[in-house]
Every structure is written in C-alpha cells, then in structure tokens.
C-alpha cells in the first residue's frame, strides 16, 4: 500500500495547490494586519493610563508650547523646585524628534533625554541589559527594538537636523507606556545633538504620599514663573479599559467571520481536490489504500495547505501593515503608527486557521472513502 507521503506529494503537485495556498494566505493576512494595527491602538490607550500615577504626579511645561518637544524650560527652575520638601522625585526631561538609522534603514522616532534609572523605576519597567550612563550608550524601548530588529550590543545612529551621533544599545526596556516607542539617552548626548545646554522640554515631579497636596501645589505655583504651567497627569483608566474591551470584541468578531470563511474555503479546496484527483484516489484504492488512508490523506493535504498558507499570510499581513504605516509616515510625518504582532498572537492565528481548515474539510474528505477498488 502506498504511503501517505507519496499521496501527499501527488496532491501537492496538482495545479490548484498554488491557488489554495494564496486563498488561505490572504485570509490570514487580513487577520494579522488587523491584529497588528489594533495592538498599536490598544497599546496607545493603555499608555495613556499608565504614563503617570494619578495620585501625585505632575508635569511642568512651557505655557506657549503646542507640543512637548516644542516646550523649553530653563534649568534655573530646578533649583527653585528642589527646595520644596513635598516633592519626592524631580525628573527633568528633553524630548526630541530625531531620525534613527539601523541596518534596516532610516526612520523618524522620538528620543528622550532623562535619568533613565529613575524614569524606568517610576514606570515599573523591566530592563534587558544595563542603564545607559554616558554619551556612547542608549536604552531602546521594546516596540522600537522589535520593529527595527535592534538587539543589545547593536550600534545605532541618531540624527537631528545636521548633527548625528552613534550610540551603543546597552539595554532594551519594557514599560508598557508610550516610552516603549522611544529611545532614552543621557542628557549630555542630546546636548551634543542639539548644540544646546541647560534646556528641558518638561519636568516631571511626584509628590510624597504624606504631604498636603494643595499646600505643596501652592508652593510649586509660587516657584513657577508666568511662562510655565503645571498639569496633573490624569487618565480615566476604567474608560480606557472599556474601549480596549470593545476593540478586542470587534477584533474577535472579525476574526471569527474570517475563520468561518477559511473553513468554507477549505471545504471548497477539499471538494475540488476529491473531484480533480478522483482517478488518483481510484488508483490508490486499487493499490490497497483503505478508506481511512484516503480520509487521512485529504485531511493532511488541507492541513499542509493551511499551515503553509497561514505562515505566509502572517508574514504578508505583518509586512503589509508596516509598509502601509511607513508610507503614511512619509506622506504625513505627523502620523506615527507602528503596528506590531506578538509571537503568541501569530501562533494563535496559525493554530486557529489550521483548526478551521480541518473542520471545513471533514465532510468532503469522506467522499473518496466510498470509492470501490476497481478501475
């Protein structure tokens, strides 16, 4: 009796295999691209809720600035604020739009200059590597690292206008905030890029738990000049969670519909295979193949199509989403969308596609089992 490998090779050589692979791949690509985009949207909304502790974190900005990167604060302000006992952490920062050059090309990103150790500690971030301590080192956010395939020990090039500097990646951090899309460097590095000293974009401060909040805020306000403002960092986390749940519900509903279409496509693929390969199945029966053998052969064929097609579709969907986001950044630099797909999500998409395909092919796979062993 011929083996399954022989029968599988025979079916894979049929002319319809390529079309079957493409149909599964395109359906899988739809789910993957939608998942990667929704991942970014959910990450952004979660970042809004995790940026600060609503109980006692405040941000000081220039009153006339339209964006954080445009804000400029004088270093003398730090001396005034450092005398206030109610402040627990005082964290001056500089946010700068720059160009990142890696082996994959050049892309616009944001660089944050800050005391990385305190900054990451306040965000309860995990770090793979060490803290950047001098002008030759940098810490890279996890999302940036994943998108541009950056690893600890890599050398990257940061450019601002006509200035550029090469730094070594000594750590990759995960804070589950907007900062995961940024690169953190020491203040001396950003001063070298901008040719500016003693200037900050913002000052982030946290209050001690035991202090009188209103009294401390009054002291801070008295220390501030008229050209700066203080904002309390607050985000409605419950609302954000509901929005994320609704987004995930939409994604799950869309995925279910696509998986149903995958099952229908697999039904058509299996049915078409049983019709076009009826002569081959009859030959296999004559050569001694049993009904269970033919049934297993068709299921194995459809499963192979599903595995190869979904693997290609996941890659196609991820690349398409990232290519679209890159094109959008070129056309509209203010729009910075960075879709990404987690490994466990890709695995789940592959297994769900495989399961849907097998279910869809069960009924037509029974047809060749009724063939008689005659020519």
């Amino acid at each position: 009796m011929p083996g399954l490998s022989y029968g599988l090779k025979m079916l894979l050589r049929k002319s319809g295999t390529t079309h079957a692979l493409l149909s599964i791949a395109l359906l899988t690509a739809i789910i993957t691209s939608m998942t990667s985009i929704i991942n970014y949207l959910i990450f952004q909304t979660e970042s809004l809720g995790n940026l600060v502790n609503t109980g006692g974190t405040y941000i000081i900005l220039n009153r006339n600035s339209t964006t954080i990167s445009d804000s400029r604060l004088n270093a003398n302000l730090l001396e005034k604020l450092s005398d206030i006992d109610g402040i627990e952490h005082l964290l001056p920062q500089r946010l700068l739009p720059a160009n990142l050059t890696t082996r994959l090309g050049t892309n616009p990103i944001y660089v944050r200059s800050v005391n990385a150790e305190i900054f990451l500690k306040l965000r309860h971030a995990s770090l793979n590597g060490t803290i950047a301590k001098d002008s030759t080192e940098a810490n890279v956010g996890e999302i940036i690292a994943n998108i541009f395939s950056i690893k600890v020990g890599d050398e990257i090039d940061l450019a601002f206008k006509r200035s550029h500097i090469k730094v070594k990646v000594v750590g990759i951090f995960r804070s589950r905030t907007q900062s995961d899309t940024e690169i953190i460097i020491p203040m001396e590095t950003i001063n070298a890029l901008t040719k500016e000293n003693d200037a900050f974009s913002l000052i982030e401060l946290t209050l001690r738990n035991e202090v009188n909040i209103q009294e401390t805020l009054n002291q801070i306000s008295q220390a501030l000049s008229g050209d700066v403002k203080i904002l309390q960092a607050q985000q409605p986390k419950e609302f954000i969670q509901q929005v994320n749940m609704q987004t995930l519900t939409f994604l799950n509903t869309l995925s279910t519909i696509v998986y149903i279409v995958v099952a229908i496509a697999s039904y058509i693929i299996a049915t078409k295979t049983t019709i076009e390969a009826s002569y081959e199945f009859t030959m296999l029966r004559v050569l001694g193949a049993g009904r269970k053998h033919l049934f297993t052969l068709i299921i194995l064929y459809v499963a192979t199509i599903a595995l190869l097609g979904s693997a290609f579709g996941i890659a196609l969907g991820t690349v398409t989403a990232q290519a679209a986001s890159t094109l959008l950044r070129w056309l509209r630099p203010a729009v910075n969308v960075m879709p990404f797909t987690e490994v466990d999500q890709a695995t789940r998409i592959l297994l769900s596609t495989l399961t849907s395909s097998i279910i869809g092919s069960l009924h037509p796979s029974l047809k060749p089992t009724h063939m008689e062993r005659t020519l």
Side-chain angles (χ1 to χ4, degrees):
M1 182 183 70
L4 288 174
S5 60
Y6 171 80
L8 181 61
K9 291 179 181 178
M10 176 189 68
L11 293 180
L12 289 175
R13 289 175 183 151
K14 302 293 287 185
S15 59
T17 298
T18 302
H19 294 91
L21 279 170
L22 288 176
S23 63
I24 298 298
L26 291 176
L27 290 171
T28 308
I30 294 174
I31 301 176
T32 306
S33 58
M34 286 294 298
T35 299
S36 64
I37 295 172
I38 289 178
N39 280 346
Y40 176 78
L41 296 177
I42 290 178
F43 172 80
Q44 291 297 319
T45 55
E46 287 181 347
S47 297
L48 293 176
N50 293 329
L51 275 174
V52 291
N53 179 352
T54 59
T57 302
Y58 298 83
I59 295 175
I60 298 176
L61 297 169
N62 187 292
R63 187 176 297 274
N64 299 321
S65 61
T66 56
T67 64
I68 294 180
S69 58
D70 292 335
S71 175
R72 289 293 181 275
L73 298 176
N74 195 289
N76 295 333
L77 187 59
L78 287 175
E79 299 179 7
K80 299 178 181 179
L81 295 174
S82 60
D83 295 331
I84 301 176
D85 294 333
I87 297 178
E88 182 175 9
H89 294 290
L90 198 59
L91 202 58
Q93 305 174 36
R94 181 77 183 272
L95 195 64
L96 183 74
N99 287 321
L100 166 68
T101 301
T102 65
R103 58 180 178 274
L104 298 181
T106 301
N107 293 274
I109 52 95
Y110 275 99
V111 174
R112 186 183 294 267
S113 179
V114 67
N115 185 319
E117 185 174 2
I118 299 177
F119 183 81
L120 297 177
K121 180 180 179 181
L122 290 176
R123 282 151 180 77
H124 307 287
S126 59
L127 177 66
N128 176 22
T130 60
I131 295 291
K133 297 179 180 179
D134 57 50
S135 60
T136 64
E137 298 177 343
N139 294 128
V140 178
E142 183 183 52
I143 293 181
I144 288 287
N146 289 338
I147 291 175
F148 301 113
S149 301
I150 298 174
K151 299 178 181 179
V152 175
D154 287 354
E155 187 178 67
I156 57 177
D157 185 277
L158 299 175
F160 175 72
K161 295 182 179 179
R162 296 183 179 180
S163 300
H164 71 92
I165 188 170
K166 292 185 179 295
V167 292
K168 180 180 180 181
V169 178
V170 296
I172 296 175
F173 63 88
R174 183 179 189 180
S175 64
R176 296 184 181 275
T177 70
Q178 171 71 27
S179 302
D180 287 345
T181 62
E182 300 170 351
I183 294 177
I184 296 178
I185 57 178
M187 193 66 70
E188 57 187 288
T189 309
I190 211 165
N191 289 341
L193 275 175
T194 60
K195 311 301 182 183
E196 296 177 1
N197 295 318
D198 300 328
F200 307 115
S201 299
L202 72 149
I203 297 177
E204 179 182 328
L205 59 90
T206 58
L207 304 183
R208 301 182 189 276
N209 295 327
E210 67 276 6
V211 301
N212 185 307
I213 295 178
Q214 191 58 50
E215 182 180 339
T216 305
L217 289 177
N218 289 337
Q219 295 179 22
I220 295 173
S221 298
Q222 293 174 5
L224 299 178
S225 58
D227 60 344
V228 298
K229 58 185 176 181
I230 180 170
L231 304 174
Q232 184 176 14
Q234 296 184 10
Q235 295 296 337
K237 289 189 177 182
E238 294 78 8
F239 173 75
I240 290 175
Q241 289 173 354
Q242 285 190 353
V243 171
N244 286 347
M245 287 299 298
Q246 293 175 4
T247 305
L248 288 174
T249 300
F250 168 77
L251 177 61
N252 291 334
T253 302
L254 176 65
S255 298
T256 300
I257 294 174
V258 175
Y259 289 134
I260 291 174
V261 176
V262 169
I264 295 173
S266 298
Y267 177 89
I268 295 174
I269 292 171
T271 301
K272 187 178 179 181
T273 301
T274 57
I275 294 174
E276 293 181 348
S278 58
Y279 177 79
E280 287 83 354
F281 288 138
T282 302
M283 290 295 299
L284 291 175
R285 290 284 287 159
V286 171
L287 294 174
R291 295 180 177 180
K292 183 178 179 181
H293 181 93
L294 296 181
F295 175 80
T296 304
L297 177 59
I298 297 177
I299 293 295
L300 184 60
Y301 171 72
V302 174
T304 303
I305 294 293
L307 281 174
L308 296 177
S310 58
F312 177 67
I314 290 170
L316 178 64
T318 302
V319 171
T320 300
Q322 292 186 356
S325 67
T326 301
L327 178 62
L328 185 60
R329 286 198 297 271
W330 287 344
L331 298 176
R332 302 186 61 183
V335 180
N336 191 21
V337 179
M338 296 183 178
F340 64 94
T341 306
E342 300 282 357
V343 175
D344 61 326
Q345 291 176 325
T347 303
R348 186 163 57 249
I349 292 173
L350 190 147
L351 294 178
S352 298
T353 304
L354 176 62
T355 302
S356 300
S357 295
I358 292 176
I359 293 174
S361 63
L362 286 176
H363 182 265
S365 298
L366 295 172
K367 293 181 181 179
T369 62
H370 300 297
M371 294 180 177
E372 298 296 333
R373 296 185 179 178
T374 57
L375 288 175

